[in-house]
Amino acid sequence: MKIIFMGTPDFAVPSLDAVKRDVIAVVSQPDRPKGRGHKLQPTPVKAFAQANNLPVLQPNKVREIIPQIAALEPDLIVVVAFGQILPQALLDVPKLGCINVHASLLPRYRGAAPVEWSIIRGEKLTGVTTMLMNAGLDTGDMLLKREVPIGEDMILPELRLQLMTAGAELLVETLNRLADIEPIKQDDSLSTYAPLLKKDTGLIDWRQPARAIHNLVRGLYGGARSGKYKIWRTRLTEETLAPAQIKIVGQRLFVGTGDGSLEILEIQAPNAKKLAAADFLRGNKVGDSFWTNA
């Protein structure tokens, strides 16, 4: 089988690794500047492809390379977290269609950030789905699913690792059984969406319930913020405090919420590294104005 693989972040690398022997070309997003020097860095998928001597295409818009892809006469296009919507003209190129590995149990959590939102919204179960792509946003007919439980304190990197591994395994199973799988249409009435994360998604409102804040911190892992501080990890506690009220017990830091409190386990000040709360308290004065932007 001649496969063109389309993907960009590290989430897609295990899937590419699983099917690389059949891949005739890899398509990834353009290199982006990173770090203090703003040097161009290859995407994780591109880096893996180059290490395995796979040709790489990096269009600004995927529409630009449809003739080039068509000339390769692929049997199948596999898409895993590519980052662009594929036009119908591209979907029509491969003989066997385009298969997407999506990090949710469709039709729930269609969209760009299903892993993050499944944690933020307090789900206990998620998974991966392989589907035949159409021109809609994650609306194609489903092929196979695999469930992955979400632990009460599981953080984003832990869940992402389990899903990327499950996705690669499910992709291989899907390709091996492709001729025998009966596609299933999605029930749109059961659909939910996982939109792009915005800067204000991570703003903590300490008037919210403790579990809701805890889920936000877990789901963004470094993206949740209170004032000028990033909150990386929290723990549900039995302390009763007013919203945003701070209590220090020994080297432990507690903050009040709308229905109780959370213990801050890891925190990061501006232009500083992430620290355990005990280390943070030894080097920082924590007072009533701690959470303000002043």
Side-chain angles (χ1 to χ4, degrees):
M1 188 181 295
K2 295 162 59 179
I3 295 174
I4 289 179
F5 186 93
M6 305 180 69
T8 299
D10 56 358
F11 186 91
V13 171
S15 291
L16 175 55
D17 187 24
V19 299
K20 63 179 183 290
R21 67 177 184 178
D22 294 321
V23 171
I24 57 174
V26 172
V27 184
S28 194
Q29 295 274 43
D31 297 349
R32 306 292 186 195
K34 289 185 180 179
R36 291 185 177 180
H38 298 288
K39 293 183 178 180
L40 289 177
Q41 298 292 324
T43 70
V45 163
K46 177 185 177 180
F48 180 88
Q50 290 179 323
N52 288 272
N53 299 312
L54 297 172
V56 180
L57 304 172
Q58 291 181 280
N60 288 313
K61 299 291 184 181
V62 72
R63 189 179 301 276
E64 302 166 358
I65 60 168
I66 293 177
Q68 195 171 351
I69 290 177
L72 295 172
E73 298 182 342
D75 298 309
L76 186 72
I77 293 178
V78 171
V79 182
V80 185
F82 175 56
Q84 294 184 33
I85 295 177
L86 273 57
Q88 188 64 49
L90 179 57
L91 297 176
D92 292 338
V93 168
K95 303 171 187 175
L96 300 176
C98 299
I99 290 179
N100 177 236
V101 179
H102 185 74
S104 79
L105 298 174
L106 290 171
R108 293 181 60 78
Y109 294 100
R110 297 170 175 171
V115 187
E116 291 88 343
W117 284 109
S118 66
I119 299 177
I120 293 171
R121 293 175 182 165
E123 300 288 355
K124 299 292 192 294
L125 186 70
T126 186
V128 287
T129 305
T130 52
M131 68 171 182
L132 293 172
M133 297 180 69
N134 60 20
L137 180 62
D138 301 323
T139 56
D141 292 353
M142 300 177 294
L143 297 172
L144 296 177
K145 292 184 181 182
R146 179 170 297 184
E147 295 181 346
V148 174
I150 305 176
E152 186 173 274
D153 294 311
M154 180 179 281
I155 58 175
L156 179 62
E158 296 169 344
L159 180 57
R160 184 180 281 142
L161 180 60
Q162 290 196 26
L163 290 171
M164 58 201 282
T165 301
E169 294 171 351
L170 192 66
L171 174 60
V172 172
E173 182 181 353
T174 300
L175 297 185
N176 287 340
R177 296 174 50 194
L178 192 57
D180 303 318
I181 299 173
E182 187 69 32
I184 300 173
K185 289 191 177 300
Q186 296 188 42
D187 184 346
D188 291 340
S189 69
L190 300 177
S191 68
T192 59
Y193 286 87
L196 278 169
L197 300 169
K198 300 179 180 179
K199 189 173 183 180
D200 62 359
T201 303
L203 294 178
I204 296 174
D205 180 354
W206 293 104
R207 296 168 296 182
Q208 293 294 310
R211 185 171 294 280
I213 299 172
H214 181 57
N215 292 343
L216 181 70
V217 172
R218 293 191 302 126
L220 296 181
Y221 193 64
R225 307 183 312 283
S226 184
K228 57 188 177 181
Y229 298 92
K230 289 183 177 181
I231 310 301
W232 285 79
R233 295 190 79 153
T234 56
R235 178 163 55 205
L236 296 164
T237 73
E238 299 297 326
E239 292 282 340
T240 301
L241 300 170
Q245 179 185 354
I246 291 169
K247 181 177 180 180
I248 298 173
V249 180
Q251 296 299 310
R252 299 174 68 186
L253 174 60
F254 299 87
V255 184
T257 70
D259 64 354
S261 69
L262 288 173
E263 181 179 0
I264 306 297
L265 301 180
E266 293 179 348
I267 185 171
Q268 183 178 4
N271 302 313
K273 63 182 181 179
K274 175 180 63 176
L275 293 173
D279 296 326
F280 179 83
L281 290 172
R282 280 191 283 268
N284 292 271
K285 185 177 180 180
V286 178
D288 293 338
S289 62
F290 183 61
W291 297 125
T292 70
N293 287 303

